[in-house]
């Protein structure tokens, strides 16, 4: 066996039914709405136990209110340090007993505490490692992809580490980039792919059907 394989840490999520999710949002909350709808329809064995927002203005908070899910607003400017912000985000997740933290349009950088390693997911509206990192969010990603002339784009579900869009990749789904695409048209096509990929990644995690081996996530 190659030495790298012998020394790598391997992480297996523990199967949970239902999987308790904490959702981090900053904006419209379409991702949260999609996950809540799938849970309601019995298509995702999960429960959203708390929603945290980086702003009180996030429109997505309405979905938490409608579902009577406890809400926490954590403003980065109210925290003196990155560590303080991280603590303000993850303490409520811990208190709510969240198994997995789902970033759902969350735009702030947050440090992952040791007990949440491999327990925070994000979805990026592009194919990591292209058009990702600081400043690449929302329409910036689609504008850059069209400007560069790529023929395919897509979405990436990945674990979150302390660098933007950098942690181990769980699922990627591609969509074509067509000649007449505007950023809006491409964003809609990518978002349709996101609505399948993110729940699928959450489902696999909750069922214990993956292992994280270094940077590689092996799905079963
Ligand atoms: C999507 O582009 C997703 O890839 C990114 O946030 C956007 C969704 O935000 N992470 P929201 O759920 O509509 O607030």
């Amino acid at each position: 066996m190659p030495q790298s394989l012998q020394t790598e840490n391997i992480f297996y999520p523990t199967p949970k039914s239902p999987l308790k999710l904490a959702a981090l949002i900053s904006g419209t909350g379409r991702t949260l709405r999609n996950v809540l709808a799938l849970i309601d329809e019995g298509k995702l064995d999960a429960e959203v136990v708390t929603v945290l927002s980086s702003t009180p203005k996030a429109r997505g908070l309405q979905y938490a209110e409608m579902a009577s899910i406890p809400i926490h607003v954590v403003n980065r400017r109210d925290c003196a340090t990155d560590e303080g912000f991280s603590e303000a985000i993850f303490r409520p997740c811990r208190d709510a007993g969240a198994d997995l933290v789902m970033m759902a349009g969350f735009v702030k950088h947050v440090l992952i505490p040791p007990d949440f390693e491999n327990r925070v997911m994000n979805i990026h509206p592009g194919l990591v490692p292209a058009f990702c990192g600081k400043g690449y969010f929302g329409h910036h990603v689609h504008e850059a992809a069209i400007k560069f002339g790529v023929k395919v784009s897509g979405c990436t579900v990945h674990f979150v580490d302390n660098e933007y869009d950098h942690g181990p990749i769980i699922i990627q789904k591609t969509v074509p980039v067509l000649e007449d695409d505007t950023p809006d048209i491409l964003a809609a096509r990518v978002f349709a792919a996101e609505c399948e990929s993110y729940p699928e990644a959450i489902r696999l995690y909750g069922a214990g059907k993956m292992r994280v081996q270094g940077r590689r996530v092996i799905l079963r």
Side-chain angles (χ1 to χ4, degrees), residues 10 40 42 50 87 108 110 112 147 158-159 169 183-184 202 205 208:
I10 300 180
D40 273 357
T50 187
E87 180 58 15
K108 296 290 177 193
V110 61
I112 308 300
K147 199 168 164 196
H158 62 92
F159 286 107
I169 292 170
D184 278 347
I202 294 167
Y205 189 96

Side-chain angles (χ1 to χ4, degrees), residues 86-87 90 94 110-117 120 162:
S86 172
E87 180 58 15
F90 285 100
R94 249 179 237 119
V110 61
L111 297 173
I112 308 300
D115 61 328
F116 276 89
E117 269 173 37
V120 184
N162 289 336

Side-chain angles (χ1 to χ4, degrees), residues 3-10 212-216:
Q3 196 161 13
S4 60
L5 281 184
Q6 289 172 11
T7 54
E8 267 172 357
N9 283 334
I10 300 180
V212 188
Q213 198 166 329
R215 277 210 56 85
R216 297 182 61 222

Side-chain angles (χ1 to χ4, degrees), residues 93-138:
C93 297
R94 249 179 237 119
D95 291 348
D99 301 304
L100 180 69
V101 176
M102 167 183 80
M103 288 191 175
F106 188 70
V107 296
K108 296 290 177 193
H109 182 256
V110 61
L111 297 173
I112 308 300
D115 61 328
F116 276 89
E117 269 173 37
N118 297 310
R119 288 176 59 203
V120 184
M121 282 186 194
N122 182 43
I123 187 156
H124 178 74
L127 296 174
V128 172
F131 313 118
C132 66
K134 195 167 195 290
Y136 282 104
F137 58 90

Side-chain angles (χ1 to χ4, degrees), residues 26-32 103-106 122-125 138 142 191 194:
S26 298
T28 60
R30 295 168 304 154
T31 310
L32 172 62
M103 288 191 175
F106 188 70
N122 182 43
I123 187 156
H124 178 74
H142 307 298
F191 190 71
E194 291 183 32

Side-chain angles (χ1 to χ4, degrees), residues 110-205:
V110 61
L111 297 173
I112 308 300
D115 61 328
F116 276 89
E117 269 173 37
N118 297 310
R119 288 176 59 203
V120 184
M121 282 186 194
N122 182 43
I123 187 156
H124 178 74
L127 296 174
V128 172
F131 313 118
C132 66
K134 195 167 195 290
Y136 282 104
F137 58 90
H139 275 215
H140 300 291
V141 180
H142 307 298
E143 277 158 17
I146 290 171
K147 199 168 164 196
F148 201 86
V150 295
K151 302 292 189 192
V152 289
S153 188
C155 62
T156 303
V157 186
H158 62 92
F159 286 107
V160 178
D161 63 14
N162 289 336
E163 287 178 51
Y164 280 111
D165 304 325
H166 177 266
I169 292 170
I170 304 163
I171 290 180
Q172 290 187 303
K173 196 170 171 68
T174 59
V175 302
V177 180
L178 305 179
E179 285 173 9
D180 294 335
D181 275 355
T182 62
D184 278 347
I185 291 171
L186 179 56
R189 195 178 302 124
V190 170
F191 190 71
E194 291 183 32
C195 289
E196 294 175 9
S197 303
Y198 213 174
E200 182 59 12
I202 294 167
R203 203 174 280 126
L204 289 166
Y205 189 96

